[in-house]
Amino acid sequence: VPAPITASGLSAALAEWTEALGSAHVSVDPGALRDAATATFPTASTISAILSPGTREEVQRSVIIANRHRIPLSPISTGKNWGYGSSAPVLDGVLLDLGRLDRIVDFSEELAYVTIEPGVTQRQLYDFLQAQRSDLWMDATGASPDCSVIGNTLERGFGHTPMGDHAGSACGLQVVLPDGACIETGFCRFPKSKVGAVARNGLGPSFDGLFFQSNLGIVTRMSIWLMPAPEYFQAFFLQTEGTIGPLVDALRPLRLNGTIRNVMHIGNDFKVLSGSGEYPWKESRGHTPLDRPTMDKLRAEIGFGRWNASGAIYGTRVQVREARSLLRRALGGIARLQFVDDGRIDFIRLIEPSYRFVTRRQDLRRALKLLPPLIQLLKGVPTDCFLASAYWRKKGGIPDDKNPDRDRCGLLWCSPVAPNTGKAVEELTALASDRLVEHGFEPLISVSLLTERATVSTVAITYDRDVPGEDQRAVRCYRALVEELLRGGYPPYRLSIGSMEYADTGGPYGNMMQSIKRTLDPNGILSPGHYLPSDR
Ligand SMILES: Cc1cc2nc3c(=O)[nH]c(=O)nc-3n(C[C@H](O)[C@H](O)[C@H](O)COP(=O)(O)OP(=O)(O)OC[C@H]3O[C@@H](n4cnc5c(N)ncnc54)[C@H](O)[C@@H]3O)c2cc1C
């Protein structure tokens, strides 16, 4: 538990940081501090300064100074942790912005990996692979091309391709500890090791996990595994008017036997609508939340299902052909299955106006907006198309330069884990839906088949922070939801900065975590409260 920040301690530390990093890289500009402490929901912490080191050695120096003066320091990679806290720390302190550490340190086409620093963004990695004319694909999240790879991976974020479980494709961490020492994990700690980026476990106890969702170190380098571009790629989409359970039960065997290798996403109608544009103010006559009858009407007009899934098959032409027939067989009678490629999208685009004219009902324009970026994500190509969903309840359009924090978009993600069974997913989604509707929000829910055996649902509480009372209502809803899900046996895979206490289960596990924290960070200066409780 760090001592409270004193004015004299802070000013002495600022003088030393300025000397170590240069005045251009130590900011106390009130506007910048306020922006950095602003998230997509109310936050309580204040930021006293922002440090922007340019090298690992400068990170080490910054930490040693923070320790000397007992000033809490919270690292961010790009600070776009939207819906979970953006760049705001859990408790008051100084922000350590690692955005200037943006080097791609190593790359192997042969072994399909890249070693990067925390400031490397999804866009930068994608552009790098393109410039190398690489035959490798990265994975991308639906957040923004300007989000980091490492910050997301440390939060155990996920994307859409077979490499979508980010923490599962990362190894060889370089970590600055709270006392300023630097360690390397896995086999990287052996001075002449040639296998640090390709073999995860190392020799003896493995420490990688200590630095994910924690406050035990600052990761300054990490290796990320990539996938070879498949000989053939085939996207597919599913729609059902039924419940989600049978769909999950039909997909699970295909996920378990490797027919489906990627992180498939299944979204309900509200989720799809929110991803494809603004809130339907006209159709709902200005009312929120969007009610079920209006949603049903819109769904029929736009042409998507009550539940909608996107996935892809990656392999040789023969494998893809075989997988297509396995999918047809498994999903017949359960969901409408469509295989889509770029040619088909061009065709739909061509016929869309006359189709709309003839049917006088179905408007495919929203689907056409969503399909190309969804296919991009299935190929690991970053897009900012889905950032529009953060503006769902904002009136006045979506700006080109999207910034949900600045634009006072309200967003809180609640992300529970469930077994990959129809029964569990149906129970979880029904519970989440009831809680959201009860609190006046649309049930914006997607379910991702993260691994063969486990799903993660992302439940979005989306609102307009400029509407009085909505912030408080959203927080109440979030807490009620997390607590009920915990009671039901569905813990969250990730937490927002205002709710870190849910990570503390106490007992021997809690005691062990506390003693590790006390050993590594006796002054409690690193990201206090972040996934490990602190009562300052
Ligand atoms: C519309 C929308 C879609 C989204 N889609 C996805 C999605 O598909 N998948 C997904 O996972 N998320 C998604 N997000 C959530 C979020 O925006 C992303 O996860 C984003 O990548 C996190 O921000 P960042 O990369 O800037 O990480 P940061 O904000 O930099 O880091 C997150 C946290 O990790 C810790 N951390 C960061 N760097 C370090 C370091 N070097 N050492 C130690 N600790 C560190 C810090 O505690 C930090 O607060 C979405 C958000 C929105 C609004």
Side-chain angles (χ1 to χ4, degrees), residues 145-357:
D146 298 318
C147 287
S148 73
V149 176
I150 286 191
N152 178 275
T153 302
L154 290 175
E155 282 290 298
R156 304 199 178 100
F158 56 87
H160 296 245
T161 71
M163 308 304 273
D165 177 11
H166 294 170
S169 315
C171 75
L173 276 53
Q174 182 188 68
V175 189
V176 173
L177 297 176
D179 65 357
C182 181
I183 62 155
E184 298 199 80
T185 68
F187 284 114
C188 290
R189 73 189 165 96
F190 291 93
K192 291 199 171 164
S193 167
K194 293 178 179 160
V195 291
V198 294
R200 293 182 75 194
N201 294 337
L203 184 68
S206 167
F207 287 149
D208 284 15
L210 283 184
F211 304 107
F212 288 77
Q213 296 188 347
S214 83
N215 55 11
L216 300 171
I218 300 167
V219 176
T220 47
R221 187 179 285 186
M222 183 189 276
S223 291
I224 306 282
W225 294 340
L226 307 166
M227 67 175 271
E231 180 192 304
Y232 198 71
F233 164 89
Q234 173 75 76
F236 63 89
F237 295 91
L238 297 162
Q239 290 182 353
T240 173
E241 283 301 316
T243 55
I244 189 172
L247 185 57
V248 170
D249 284 332
L251 290 170
R252 184 187 52 257
L254 301 173
R255 185 83 173 99
L256 275 164
N257 72 16
T259 305
I260 296 172
R261 289 164 50 215
N262 76 309
V263 179
M264 276 195 68
H265 290 244
I266 310 171
N268 69 359
D269 41 8
F270 288 97
K271 178 79 181 181
V272 175
L273 189 69
S274 78
S276 62
E278 302 172 48
Y279 191 86
W281 293 110
K282 204 174 99 210
E283 295 83 345
S284 63
R285 295 193 194 86
H287 282 294
T288 60
L290 186 65
D291 58 39
R292 178 44 74 192
T294 313
M295 181 70 246
D296 289 346
K297 195 165 155 274
L298 281 166
R299 193 171 69 236
E301 281 168 15
I302 297 166
F304 52 78
R306 198 158 180 142
W307 289 98
N308 308 270
S310 61
I313 317 167
Y314 306 76
T316 61
R317 277 181 183 276
V318 176
Q319 285 169 328
V320 170
R321 197 177 317 128
E322 168 72 6
R324 281 166 66 129
S325 64
L326 290 173
L327 275 164
R328 278 200 196 94
R329 206 177 313 148
L331 292 154
I334 290 173
R336 190 163 146 241
L337 170 65
Q338 279 178 303
F339 295 100
V340 178
D341 51 29
D342 295 340
R344 189 169 172 133
I345 291 178
D346 290 343
F347 175 71
I348 302 173
R349 206 169 265 134
L350 196 74
I351 60 145
E352 196 278 328
S354 35
Y355 182 81
R356 191 155 27 101
F357 179 75

Side-chain angles (χ1 to χ4, degrees), residues 53-61 100-101 103 117 220:
T55 61
R56 189 248 297 162
E57 290 75 13
E58 287 186 359
V59 173
Q60 291 177 277
R61 260 174 259 149
R100 287 178 63 226
L101 275 83
R103 282 164 285 252
E117 292 186 333
T220 47

Side-chain angles (χ1 to χ4, degrees), residues 422-437:
K423 186 167 176 275
V425 171
E426 218 162 84
E427 179 181 54
L428 186 156
T429 51
L431 187 158
S433 180
D434 289 351
R435 234 21 88 245
L436 262 74
V437 171

Side-chain angles (χ1 to χ4, degrees), residues 409-420:
C409 301
L411 175 64
L412 259 164
W413 297 113
C414 173
S415 322
V417 186
N420 191 3

Side-chain angles (χ1 to χ4, degrees), residues 75-84 86-88 98 118 122 140-144 146-152 154-160 166 211 214 217-220 265 386-390 404 411 413 493-494 497 527 530-531:
I76 52 163
S77 288
T78 47
K80 294 178 169 45
N81 201 15
W82 297 310
Y84 295 104
S86 305
S87 57
L98 301 167
Q122 302 200 102
T141 70
S144 149
D146 298 318
C147 287
S148 73
V149 176
I150 286 191
N152 178 275
L154 290 175
E155 282 290 298
R156 304 199 178 100
F158 56 87
H160 296 245
H166 294 170
F211 304 107
S214 83
I218 300 167
V219 176
T220 47
H265 290 244
F386 298 101
L387 200 45
S389 66
L411 175 64
W413 297 113
Y493 94 95
R494 182 171 173 180
I497 55 161
S527 301
H530 191 245
Y531 289 98

Side-chain angles (χ1 to χ4, degrees), residues 27-38 50:
S27 171
V28 287
D29 171 60
L33 301 185
R34 215 177 23 249
D35 289 351
T38 303
I50 303 172

